[in-house]
Amino acid sequence: MKFPITILFLHILHIQAKAQFTPILVDGNINAPGKVMAIDLNNDGLDDILTYETSTKNLIWYECLGSGTFSNANTLSSNFDIDDFAVGDLDNDNDLDIVVVSNSNTTIGILERFNSGNYSSLQTVSTIYTGYRCTLADMDFDNDLDIVSATPTSIRWWENSNATGNFVNWHPIYSNSTSHYDLEAHDFDNDGDVDIFQSLTANDRIVLFEYDNFSYTPKLIDPNIDAPLVLEFHDLNNDGQDELIANSISDEVRIYEYASGSLSLINTIQPASSYLVGQAVADFDNDGLLDIMLSFRDSDTIGYLQNQGGLNFGGFTTISTLQDKPVHLAPGKFDADNSMDLACTSIGGDSLMVYLNQVIVGNDTRKELTAFNLSPNPVKKVLNVQSEIEIKEITIMDVSSQIIRVKQMSPLNRQLLDLEGLPAGHYYLRLRDINENTTCQQFIKM
């Protein structure tokens, strides 16, 4: 359906007046996206995006082209039912290879990156003891990355043979594991070896498998956390010792600090939202402290907890409600500034979006990219917009991120958007300004 369009408004999302995020749609037609990772796959200084489609069984990556723009989806593997993936330099050639695991395909596989920049077809590592989750770590202290994989009932690691990327021997870690969500390998006590952590969703526990002379002793970290999900280790208070950050389905974040030989719960945070799933830890406000970004599936909410020092965090501040059922989060740098951006996949709207953090924080003056005046929203017929920055292109999309119409225009500051003929409902508005900034926001047509 076509209808007159004269303007689209710009809206910058705020985080406690210290960070400003501009949402950009990367792909509005990605089928049931899973885990997302932001990582520089092609060594150009910008983080690309790696994810997979659970319905089409494709592993795909989007090359970052700068300024928050990305290539179309590049398929790396297809018809492989991925449960998890990990990225690292398996053969010490300064290129990033990809490990994938599939329980239904009973396969651990590798996609090797060549000097040409292309990836190999899937190379099978094993068809036994495959798993739902994987991670990479130097388990045997020989300066190459080994594969750690967890099945529904066991954890094992696969030995990298002399940094060749060939994996010939597997070693048991634990053989009586249960249903889990996340798997982490980390030297939490700084004793020079790698320990293994699991979040056990079915048993409401976080478990440590502590290394001791090539054997692993299970220890209970938290026996009473409701369906724990994401586990991450980061130094939250800049004391040189990493804390464990875990979230749970009961909408809480727990922080555990290492002291006197063990990890102890020292802070529980309960943001007021619904069905917490995703977590990403990074310095989003450029103050030298790591903050915690969260996604809530049922309330379509993404927001963050500002680190205030001393392992204390400020209240939860929403940065977006654009994506339908946002789940997986990944911090990354998608433009040339010094601020940390964010990528998010949603399972409701089948979308991949990035949120560009475009504010400089510190001793510099903080300034909104654009001031605007918008009325009314919700709107029946005509949207009145005033903006300080001139807009040259407008796009209207439906809630599934399908483009309804794109219109290029002479740059103007004050316009009217005539929405007569547009069916009632929720829509996305996207604009490009004269400085080539692109942003997106939701409006309601009555």
Side-chain angles (χ1 to χ4, degrees), residues 161-353:
S161 178
N162 299 317
T164 60
N166 296 314
F167 297 82
V168 291
N169 298 315
W170 63 265
H171 306 270
I173 293 176
Y174 195 64
S175 59
N176 193 27
S177 183
T178 58
S179 177
H180 55 271
Y181 186 90
D182 204 3
L183 176 73
E184 284 293 310
H186 188 75
D187 180 13
F188 80 103
D189 49 6
N190 291 331
D191 63 354
D193 53 51
V194 179
D195 309 296
I196 304 298
F197 292 79
Q198 271 193 310
S199 56
L200 303 181
T201 53
N203 291 349
D204 299 333
R205 296 175 179 180
I206 299 174
V207 178
L208 156 68
F209 301 93
E210 188 169 7
Y211 176 89
D212 181 16
N213 194 25
F214 286 98
S215 65
Y216 295 84
T217 303
K219 295 183 178 181
L220 201 56
I221 298 299
D222 193 332
N224 190 29
I225 177 172
D226 184 21
L229 300 173
V230 180
L231 304 177
E232 294 185 82
F233 281 90
H234 298 279
D235 185 1
L236 296 177
N237 56 357
N238 293 337
D239 65 350
Q241 177 69 50
D242 288 346
E243 285 73 43
L244 169 63
I245 307 101
N247 65 4
S248 81
I249 206 168
S250 59
D251 301 333
E252 66 178 18
V253 177
R254 295 190 179 188
I255 300 173
Y256 306 81
E257 186 177 25
Y258 177 76
S260 301
S262 63
L263 285 164
S264 301
L265 178 64
I266 53 93
N267 197 357
T268 299
I269 308 166
Q270 292 184 299
S273 203
S274 178
Y275 207 124
L276 173 59
V277 282
Q279 174 180 291
V281 179
D283 182 7
F284 291 104
D285 51 13
N286 292 357
D287 64 352
L289 296 171
L290 297 177
D291 312 297
I292 304 175
M293 190 76 72
L294 304 169
S295 64
F296 294 83
R297 194 185 73 176
D298 286 359
S299 60
D300 301 337
T301 299
I302 304 171
Y304 104 139
L305 301 164
Q306 184 186 14
N307 191 338
Q308 297 181 336
L311 300 179
N312 296 310
F313 288 81
F316 179 78
T317 303
T318 298
I319 71 161
S320 176
T321 57
L322 288 175
Q323 290 181 271
D324 184 12
K325 295 181 174 56
V327 177
H328 300 281
L329 302 174
K333 293 194 174 183
F334 308 127
D335 53 21
D337 66 16
N338 294 318
S339 299
M340 186 62 69
D341 309 309
L342 183 74
C344 178
T345 53
S346 72
I347 59 174
D350 287 341
S351 68
L352 167 63
M353 294 187 73

Side-chain angles (χ1 to χ4, degrees), residues 23-257:
I24 297 176
L25 182 67
V26 177
D27 193 338
N29 193 31
I30 179 173
N31 295 305
K35 172 181 177 178
V36 62
M37 179 182 290
I39 191 166
D40 185 3
L41 291 174
N42 55 359
N43 296 323
D44 65 352
L46 293 170
D47 287 334
D48 310 298
I49 296 177
L50 184 65
T51 186
Y52 61 89
E53 298 176 299
T54 57
S55 60
T56 61
K57 303 179 181 179
N58 292 335
L59 178 68
I60 52 180
W61 76 289
Y62 301 82
E63 181 184 358
C64 184
L65 306 176
S67 302
T69 60
F70 292 83
S71 69
N72 293 329
N74 300 285
T75 300
L76 296 177
S77 70
S78 58
N79 298 317
F80 186 76
D81 195 5
I82 296 173
D83 288 297
D84 197 10
F85 64 84
V87 177
D89 184 2
L90 299 177
D91 48 8
N92 290 349
D93 63 352
N94 297 316
D95 287 323
L96 292 176
D97 310 300
I98 303 171
V99 174
V100 294
V101 294
S102 171
N103 191 67
S104 61
N105 288 102
T106 59
T107 300
I108 299 175
I110 295 173
L111 290 91
E112 181 185 357
R113 185 174 177 87
F114 301 128
N115 291 334
S116 64
N118 298 318
Y119 277 90
S120 70
S121 58
L122 188 66
Q123 305 172 29
T124 299
V125 171
S126 175
T127 56
I128 60 171
Y129 307 128
T130 53
Y132 283 111
R133 291 292 180 265
C134 68
T135 189
L136 302 177
D138 185 4
M139 303 295 291
D140 50 0
F141 324 113
D142 62 351
N143 298 314
D144 57 31
L145 292 174
D146 308 300
I147 300 172
V148 184
S149 176
T151 73
T153 58
S154 64
I155 309 172
R156 290 172 171 82
W157 66 274
W158 302 84
E159 184 179 346
N160 190 344
S161 178
N162 299 317
T164 60
N166 296 314
F167 297 82
V168 291
N169 298 315
W170 63 265
H171 306 270
I173 293 176
Y174 195 64
S175 59
N176 193 27
S177 183
T178 58
S179 177
H180 55 271
Y181 186 90
D182 204 3
L183 176 73
E184 284 293 310
H186 188 75
D187 180 13
F188 80 103
D189 49 6
N190 291 331
D191 63 354
D193 53 51
V194 179
D195 309 296
I196 304 298
F197 292 79
Q198 271 193 310
S199 56
L200 303 181
T201 53
N203 291 349
D204 299 333
R205 296 175 179 180
I206 299 174
V207 178
L208 156 68
F209 301 93
E210 188 169 7
Y211 176 89
D212 181 16
N213 194 25
F214 286 98
S215 65
Y216 295 84
T217 303
K219 295 183 178 181
L220 201 56
I221 298 299
D222 193 332
N224 190 29
I225 177 172
D226 184 21
L229 300 173
V230 180
L231 304 177
E232 294 185 82
F233 281 90
H234 298 279
D235 185 1
L236 296 177
N237 56 357
N238 293 337
D239 65 350
Q241 177 69 50
D242 288 346
E243 285 73 43
L244 169 63
I245 307 101
N247 65 4
S248 81
I249 206 168
S250 59
D251 301 333
E252 66 178 18
V253 177
R254 295 190 179 188
I255 300 173
Y256 306 81
E257 186 177 25

Side-chain angles (χ1 to χ4, degrees), residues 368-397:
E368 290 190 9
L369 297 178
T370 299
F372 72 92
N373 218 353
L374 170 71
S375 63
N377 187 17
V379 58
K380 289 184 178 180
K381 182 179 178 181
V382 178
L383 193 65
N384 183 19
V385 178
Q386 296 183 59
S387 175
E388 287 183 356
I389 201 164
E390 295 177 328
I391 301 160
K392 69 176 187 177
E393 182 182 271
I394 55 178
T395 304
I396 293 184
M397 300 173 289

Side-chain angles (χ1 to χ4, degrees), residues 413-431:
N413 294 88
R414 186 177 186 275
Q415 297 289 339
L416 298 175
L417 175 60
D418 188 349
L419 300 178
E420 187 174 10
L422 179 67
H426 292 252
Y427 294 87
Y428 292 155
L429 307 176
R430 185 175 68 194
L431 69 81

